[in-house]
Structures are given as C-alpha cells and as structure tokens.
Amino acid sequence: MERKCTIIVAVLLMTALPGLVLAQGSTMEELGSKAAKAAMDQLGVEKGDQNLLILTSAGYAIADGQTTQAAIKGLTEESGNSIGDGNLFQVLRPYWKPVWFFFFDKASGEAVYMEAESNATEKSLDELKALPADKVFSKISKANVDMDYLGNHTEEGNATFNRMAFNGNEFALVSISNVWARGGSFDFIQETCFHDHLCPGVTSGLFLAKYVEKRLPINNTTAESYKVIACPNWCKDDLLQIRWDATPGKSSMFVMALTNAEKKAVPNIAGIYIRWNDTSKSGDALALGFNFSAVELPSWNGPAWGSMIYQDIVLMEYADKPETFISTIKEFEVDAQTLAMLQNAGMHPLKVAGVM
Ligand SMILES: [Zn+2]
C-alpha cells in the first residue's frame, strides 16, 4: 500500500513539476537574455566578443520568490559569455537584493548596468517578451569606467559614482572589471566576487596566501590543510576561505577582532597561519605582519573614490613578490592542545602565540 502511494505521488509530481519548472525557468531565462541583448546593442558588441565581461547577482538574488540562476542561461545564450570562458561571474549578494546585470566592454571601457523591476518575472513569458527593455528594467545606465580613462575624467567619474549609476554597486563593479581587463586570473576574480568587490584588502589576502604557500607548502594533500587565526580580520579572510577552503564552519578559520591598542602593540599583525597535519595532529605556524605602506605607490589623479581601485591595479605587479609587504613576526610549532588554545574564545590567540 505504501509503495503504491509513493508511485502515485511520484507520477503526480512528474506530471505537475516539469511544466512549472519550465515556465519559471523560461521567464527568468528571458530576463537574462533581454538584459544581454539590450546591453550588447548599447555597447555595440556581437555574440562571442572576447572583450565583453558580464557580472551579475543572478543565482544569489531571489526575485518574486523565484531563484534567479536561469537568467545566467539567458545571458550565456545571448552573449556567448560563460563561467567556462572566464568572462561571466556571479557576484555575491544577499538574496533579498535585486537581480542585476553588468556588462563591461574592455575595448572601449564602456559599461552598462541593468536592474530588473521588482515584479518583472511575475509576468507571463509572452508578456515579458513583448515588453521593451525599459519596462522590464528599473535602471539602465551606461558609463565609461576604464581606470585609464577615469584618470583624465574626474568629473565624469564622480558623476557616475555620486549619481549611483550602478545603484550603489559602482566600486564593486568598476574594481572587478578593471582588474579582469588587465589579466586578473580566474581564481582571483572568483574570490573577489565572493568578497563583493576588489579592494587592496583582498589583494593582501592573495599576497599572504602566496607567502604562506611558499614557506609552508602543502606536501600531503590528504592529511594537510591550512588553518587561519584571522586576528585581526579584514577583507583578506574572504579570499583565504575560497582559495584554501578554509571556512569557519569546518573549523579552518577563526575570526577575531583586535582593539586599536592591541593592533598598536603588535604593529602590522595580519593573523596566524597554520599548516596542520590531521594525521600526526601537529602543525607549523607563522604569525605574519602586513605593511601596507611598505611601498610608496604612484599617486592617482582621477576621482577620489577610484584611488583604491588604482592601487589594486598597481599592486598586481607585486603578486610574485609578497615579501615586499609581509614579514614573519614569529614561527612556531603547534600541537593539538596549542591549536585548541589558539581557537578558543576564552583565550587571546596573540598571547597564546607569544607575540603580544
Ligand atoms: Zn574589501
């Protein structure tokens, strides 16, 4: 009897769901396709143009109760851009924020931002198809956001930023696009998309990772992993979570803030990095310092909000020279008991490590 019921339920689901899933997918897919079509028209690019980058919150945003990943399918079909080609990335946003699409042409520096109307996907597929883009998207705006261009167009850059041309996503989208256009690697761009934007703090995470990987390389991929005592925390830690799969939930990262007085007591302190062997229950640790002012970076003449993005670009030259900014404050061995003390809320990791 129970089996019969299961079969009936399964058959009912099979008949009811495909249509439902298809209908939802199609509307969302049409939204992505419509965005790509309108933006490509405005930018004057054809399908398959390798200069085009697409960034989107689709997949993270939930619109009208529907998940939005199908919009990515529409984007890809219309533009040819894909994750596999390294020219389409999903930028992390909380699910309640709107679904948006950003198109950047690295040949011209021009970009188009489009944000979906809150009720766009409540319409039927035919209704949505028939509507012009300005009735589907509450915001469609275009601006030149290439950093070389902005360096000579301060007022124009300030207008883009102050009028919130990309609805508050200006810094995030302009930073990621410019580093992508200058050869930022797929893994790095993906990590910055998890962080929301590309700032020198994320770049410092890449440098710290490279510094640790050189001194404490992973030799045994089954037994060894990195553990991070992120004390103090900053943007670097979001990159490390992705690059090393060092997530707090799996006890690979412990995040603790420092007071200003504590930061002063251990100048430039950038956390404790441990290569842990889970078989021998032992590890090697480095307490590291990161000095952001180790190098005097060239000055930026464009809009003030772009200075950090300019630094991102200049810093790319140091990707293979992390020791320019990083120093080892202390190197020490860790056993299971010390590791537990470094992670414990009742202890102070910098005191346990003996650096404070
Ligand atoms: Zn940041």
Side-chain angles (χ1 to χ4, degrees):
M1 185 60 196
E2 204 175 292
R3 188 156 172 249
K4 208 171 172 185
C5 280
T6 313
I7 291 168
I8 293 168
V9 170
V11 168
L12 280 173
L13 277 175
M14 271 167 17
T15 48
L17 278 178
L20 194 66
V21 169
L22 194 69
Q24 285 190 342
S26 301
T27 321
M28 204 56 77
E29 200 177 321
E30 174 63 18
L31 188 71
S33 160
K34 232 179 165 68
K37 204 172 177 18
M40 287 163 69
D41 274 354
Q42 287 212 23
L43 294 171
V45 299
E46 302 282 325
K47 183 175 183 174
D49 190 325
Q50 287 305 301
N51 289 317
L52 185 69
L53 168 71
I54 302 180
L55 301 174
T56 180
S57 64
Y60 291 117
I62 295 183
D64 311 321
Q66 289 184 43
T67 58
T68 53
Q69 76 286 352
I72 300 169
K73 205 173 159 191
L75 289 170
T76 295
E77 272 163 16
E78 196 65 40
S79 65
N81 286 40
S82 68
I83 294 171
D85 286 317
N87 52 19
L88 188 155
F89 291 87
Q90 292 170 264
V91 183
L92 181 61
R93 287 290 180 273
Y95 78 88
W96 61 81
K97 294 238 177 173
V99 61
W100 50 254
F101 309 96
F102 179 78
F103 304 82
F104 173 71
D105 175 16
K106 85 170 168 188
S108 66
E110 300 274 334
V112 171
Y113 175 88
M114 310 181 79
E115 191 167 299
E117 280 281 3
S118 58
N119 62 351
T121 48
E122 275 174 8
K123 297 174 170 49
S124 74
L125 181 60
D126 288 340
E127 277 176 314
L128 192 63
K129 276 188 170 167
L131 284 173
D134 61 353
K135 293 278 180 293
V136 178
F137 300 96
S138 57
K139 180 129 192 165
I140 304 177
S141 56
K142 188 178 171 191
N144 192 313
V145 296
D146 174 67
M147 287 303 285
D148 293 332
Y149 177 87
L150 290 180
N152 299 312
H153 295 82
T154 301
E155 269 179 44
E156 195 179 322
N158 278 334
T160 300
F161 193 78
N162 296 336
R163 287 183 202 147
M164 297 218 299
F166 312 145
N167 276 3
N169 296 296
E170 296 76 24
F171 183 87
L173 300 176
V174 176
S175 61
I176 297 170
S177 306
N178 274 278
V179 172
W180 174 83
R182 287 163 181 77
S185 62
F186 178 83
D187 57 319
F188 185 50
I189 300 297
Q190 182 166 255
E191 287 146 3
T192 66
C193 287
F194 170 70
H195 178 59
D196 162 305
H197 58 261
L198 207 171
C199 61
V202 181
T203 307
S204 73
L206 179 67
F207 291 5
L208 284 158
K210 290 193 168 192
Y211 187 93
V212 172
E213 289 159 11
K214 194 168 164 190
R215 281 147 190 89
L216 302 175
I218 297 287
N219 299 315
N220 180 336
T221 53
T222 7
E224 290 175 345
S225 65
Y226 290 120
K227 289 184 180 285
V228 181
I229 309 296
C231 178
N233 61 304
W234 73 71
C235 306
K236 61 180 168 55
D237 302 305
D238 289 347
L239 177 135
L240 296 170
Q241 284 185 60
I242 305 276
R243 186 176 174 95
W244 290 344
D245 185 22
T247 64
K250 297 192 294 291
S251 300
S252 295
M253 180 177 284
F254 291 81
V255 182
M256 286 161 264
L258 288 179
T259 64
N260 284 339
E262 286 172 325
K263 280 183 198 164
K264 248 189 201 154
V266 195
N268 300 324
I269 182 72
I272 299 165
Y273 299 81
I274 304 155
R275 178 183 58 191
W276 180 251
N277 187 311
D278 209 40
T279 308
S280 65
K281 303 290 177 201
S282 65
D284 303 286
L286 294 170
L288 299 180
F290 195 100
N291 181 6
F292 276 99
S293 29
V295 173
E296 201 182 325
L297 300 177
S299 60
W300 163 247
N301 302 317
W305 63 272
S307 72
M308 297 244 277
I309 302 175
Y310 182 64
Q311 284 178 30
D312 292 334
I313 294 168
V314 178
L315 284 172
M316 285 174 75
E317 291 166 26
Y318 293 89
D320 295 320
K321 292 174 269 186
E323 50 287 333
T324 311
F325 302 91
I326 301 166
S327 56
T328 299
I329 296 171
K330 188 174 177 180
E331 195 165 354
F332 56 103
E333 285 178 9
V334 172
D335 59 13
Q337 199 191 348
T338 317
L339 180 67
M341 282 162 68
L342 286 167
Q343 299 171 347
N344 198 300
M347 312 294 279
H348 195 308
L350 300 187
K351 288 180 182 168
V352 174
V355 296
M356 197 174 99

